[in-house]
Amino acid sequence: MFISQAFAQTAPAAAGGGAESSLLSLLPLVLMFVVLYFIMIRPQMKKQKEHKAMVEALAKGDEVIIAGGIMGRVNKVGDSYLGVEVANNVELQVQRVAVVQVLPKGTFK
């Protein structure tokens, strides 16, 4: 009574370049991922690789800065922990990954 009848309409015939237009619509998305990779992901991976190499190369006697900003000298070297002397007779046990920077010899006195 109050509802009118709905009639389905047939869709117009598709143009000949359907696959080509779908590839062109994906192009901006692919370009965004490429830019994201070169601006964010690749530099971060490079930085992680450099930090890993620095941590693996730590040896007794190296002067380091650990994550809390504390400066000290490495006294003990273990597989995953270091003994870092921060003052006379004061030694901290820290994880290797907590080392932020290796300082030049003679910096920590």
Side-chain angles (χ1 to χ4, degrees):
M1 299 206 179
F2 293 110
I3 301 173
S4 62
Q5 293 180 348
F7 295 100
Q9 294 180 347
T10 58
E20 183 178 309
S21 65
S22 65
L23 288 177
L24 287 176
S25 66
L26 289 177
L27 185 63
L29 185 63
V30 171
L31 286 175
M32 285 190 324
F33 279 114
V34 168
V35 169
L36 180 72
Y37 176 77
F38 282 107
I39 290 178
M40 294 178 68
I41 298 171
R42 189 168 177 238
Q44 182 65 27
M45 288 172 46
K46 184 177 178 184
K47 190 174 183 181
Q48 285 177 343
K49 192 175 185 181
E50 289 172 356
H51 184 262
K52 184 178 179 183
M54 177 192 67
V55 167
E56 288 176 353
L58 286 173
K60 187 175 179 179
D62 285 345
E63 297 172 0
V64 296
I65 296 179
I66 56 177
I70 300 172
M71 186 171 21
R73 182 175 293 115
V74 177
N75 279 349
K76 296 179 185 172
V77 179
D79 290 335
S80 58
Y81 291 97
L82 299 171
V84 179
E85 181 182 9
V86 294
N88 291 334
N89 299 324
V90 179
E91 186 173 308
L92 301 175
Q93 295 292 323
V94 297
Q95 290 182 329
R96 281 181 168 259
V97 294
V99 174
V100 176
Q101 183 179 6
V102 177
L103 300 171
K105 299 281 184 184
T107 305
F108 181 69
K109 294 181 182 181

